[in-house]
Amino acid sequence: MKRLSLFALALIFSAVLSAQSISSQRNSSPGISSGMITLDCKMDVNLKRGYTHAKVFLLNGEKFFFSHNSNTGATDIWNLDKGGNAVFSKKWSTGWTNINFYEFQGEVFFFHQKEETGLARINKLNYNDIMSGSRMGEKVFEQTWSKGWTNTLFFTHNDILYFLHYKADTGLARLNASSSGSSVGTKIYEKNWSKGYSNFSMTEKGDNFYIL
């Protein structure tokens, strides 16, 4: 079993990654108790079967639920504030395996990439386009990268957008910094980590960002 590690990315100035520290979480945080919680269903939506990806994003103050089947290309979006059937339903090409949403400077973007071909694309989301079922929004970025990228994580610091990319098969990790949500910017860090990480999450404390 892989050891759970935290990679602390210390950001100094506006666009410079100064250091990476690694530490293991051995003790639970003080003041946090373990107890039972109750889940309360607030909205019903009609789902289909076979989705491989599911994400929730916020746009124009409303919550949306995105589902995609990378094997068939089926893509559906529900407005969780309205419920019912999907407001957006399309069949895309197959193979989109690396999918994420991020917000930067008041705008929401949709990143999607094909692990097998390296094709990477970013759309700037448009509320009216999604609600009308026509499209996600304007395509603002498209490039073909090397194959094998399995994870992408986004975070911001001092008005800079950072993209962490990772290949599970090789352990290659790369960090890009950008001043625009429509671009992946410039590579500022690259290193071979251990292989096989499949899930990433981000938290911050002060000027430090922690990747779990």
Side-chain angles (χ1 to χ4, degrees):
M1 181 179 295
K2 284 193 171 293
R3 188 178 176 183
L4 185 64
S5 300
L6 290 177
F7 297 86
L9 302 180
L11 305 178
I12 297 181
F13 304 114
S14 61
V16 178
L17 180 72
S18 64
Q20 182 191 49
S21 62
I22 304 175
S23 61
S24 296
Q25 288 285 2
R26 299 184 182 273
N27 301 314
S28 60
S29 300
I32 299 178
S33 62
S34 59
M36 298 301 294
I37 61 173
T38 301
L39 299 179
D40 186 11
C41 180
K42 296 296 184 181
M43 182 58 65
D44 292 324
V45 295
N46 301 319
L47 300 178
K48 303 174 186 177
R49 296 182 178 180
Y51 294 112
T52 56
H53 296 78
K55 301 283 184 180
V56 175
F57 63 92
L58 188 67
L59 184 64
N60 279 27
E62 296 179 6
K63 295 181 290 295
F64 289 84
F65 180 68
F66 169 91
S67 287
H68 174 73
N69 187 326
S70 62
N71 299 314
T72 66
T75 306
D76 295 279
I77 300 176
W78 289 261
N79 186 318
L80 294 180
D81 290 331
K82 301 184 183 301
N85 295 319
V87 296
F88 177 98
S89 186
K90 297 287 183 182
K91 189 170 184 178
W92 296 348
S93 59
T94 60
W96 298 104
T97 53
N98 191 3
I99 289 175
N100 220 322
F101 293 84
Y102 61 95
E103 183 179 356
F104 187 65
Q105 295 180 343
E107 296 179 316
V108 183
F109 297 87
F110 171 56
F111 173 86
H112 45 306
Q113 185 185 35
K114 296 187 177 186
E115 179 183 350
E116 289 298 320
T117 67
L119 178 63
R121 186 176 293 168
I122 298 174
N123 290 74
K124 183 169 69 174
L125 299 188
N126 182 283
Y127 178 87
N128 292 329
D129 286 346
I130 293 174
M131 290 301 294
S132 67
S134 60
R135 61 175 186 168
M136 297 280 289
E138 178 187 3
K139 181 174 66 178
V140 295
F141 173 87
E142 183 174 288
Q143 280 186 0
T144 300
W145 299 344
S146 59
K147 301 177 183 180
W149 296 103
T150 54
N151 299 82
T152 302
L153 189 65
F154 305 88
F155 59 99
T156 59
H157 181 71
N158 289 342
D159 292 325
I160 299 296
L161 177 66
Y162 294 90
F163 296 76
L164 175 70
H165 311 288
Y166 174 76
K167 293 186 178 185
D169 287 343
T170 66
L172 178 63
R174 182 177 294 168
L175 187 68
N176 284 40
S178 176
S179 59
S180 170
S182 303
S183 169
V184 296
T186 304
K187 180 176 66 177
I188 60 173
Y189 169 92
E190 184 173 282
K191 191 172 182 179
N192 285 319
W193 294 353
S194 56
K195 302 176 184 179
Y197 290 109
S198 56
N199 294 291
F200 290 84
S201 186
M202 171 68 65
T203 187
E204 63 178 291
K205 182 179 181 180
D207 288 334
N208 293 327
F209 288 83
Y210 297 88
I211 300 170
L212 174 64

